[in-house]
Amino acid sequence: MRGGLPPGPGRAIAPRRPAEYDGSWRWTAPALDRSVPAARSAVRELIRRRAVPLREDQLYGLLLIVSELVTNAVRHAALLSPEVAVEVSVGPEWVRVAVEDNHPYRPAPMEACPEDEPRTGGRGLLLVQATVEEAGGCYDIEHTAGGKVVWAALPLRFRPTSPRRPR
């Protein structure tokens, strides 16, 4: 997984003292349902412990994203990926969460359709997409040697214009 959050193209890096919250943290969990609340709790505790400057609504959005990405990995990749990896990276302007599994399938958001029968699932990536867009962030799905990484990045401050894309 890529953990760094460089500035956008054409923007110089001004020398700065790293903030107390800068860094990347990664852990693995079994591809089981119980890993979803465990991942959410771990991310919440990391953000609190490192004093990352997120507003409450940003934290809730980040935790929703963690829940949806880990749930997708557990439900759809467990057969080929008995473990999932969760990575949180925090830079001066972004917080990025990524979930990696060893299943090569690249998921796509399912569009809501009024004619569909009521469903209880299948729209997690739509929630991720909407949460990211509302916050002025970005997300993507990248292939790895044996699977994929699904990541989302949120700005530490709201950006009403098109965001730079962290890597």
Side-chain angles (χ1 to χ4, degrees), residues 56-87:
E56 189 173 349
D57 61 320
Q58 291 172 308
L59 177 60
Y60 289 142
L62 183 68
L63 296 176
L64 172 67
I65 290 167
V66 169
S67 294
E68 294 300 331
L69 297 184
V70 175
T71 296
N72 283 351
V74 166
R75 289 198 178 150
H76 305 294
L79 184 62
L80 297 178
S81 186
E83 284 191 332
V84 297
V86 178
E87 181 177 273

Side-chain angles (χ1 to χ4, degrees), residues 67-130:
S67 294
E68 294 300 331
L69 297 184
V70 175
T71 296
N72 283 351
V74 166
R75 289 198 178 150
H76 305 294
L79 184 62
L80 297 178
S81 186
E83 284 191 332
V84 297
V86 178
E87 181 177 273
V88 177
S89 300
V90 185
E93 298 180 23
W94 292 89
V95 59
R96 177 183 184 266
V97 64
V99 175
E100 182 175 0
D101 64 55
N102 290 321
H103 196 293
Y105 172 71
R106 182 182 173 107
M110 293 178 68
E111 293 299 324
C113 186
E115 297 84 35
D116 284 351
E117 292 180 24
R119 286 191 230 186
T120 58
R123 297 200 176 92
L125 283 180
L126 282 178
L127 283 172
V128 170
Q129 187 176 36

Side-chain angles (χ1 to χ4, degrees), residues 27 39-48 62-63 66 86 88:
W27 61 93
R40 189 175 48 244
S41 179
V43 171
R44 180 187 299 116
E45 180 60 20
L46 173 69
I47 297 297
R48 185 198 63 76
L62 183 68
L63 296 176
V66 169
V86 178
V88 177

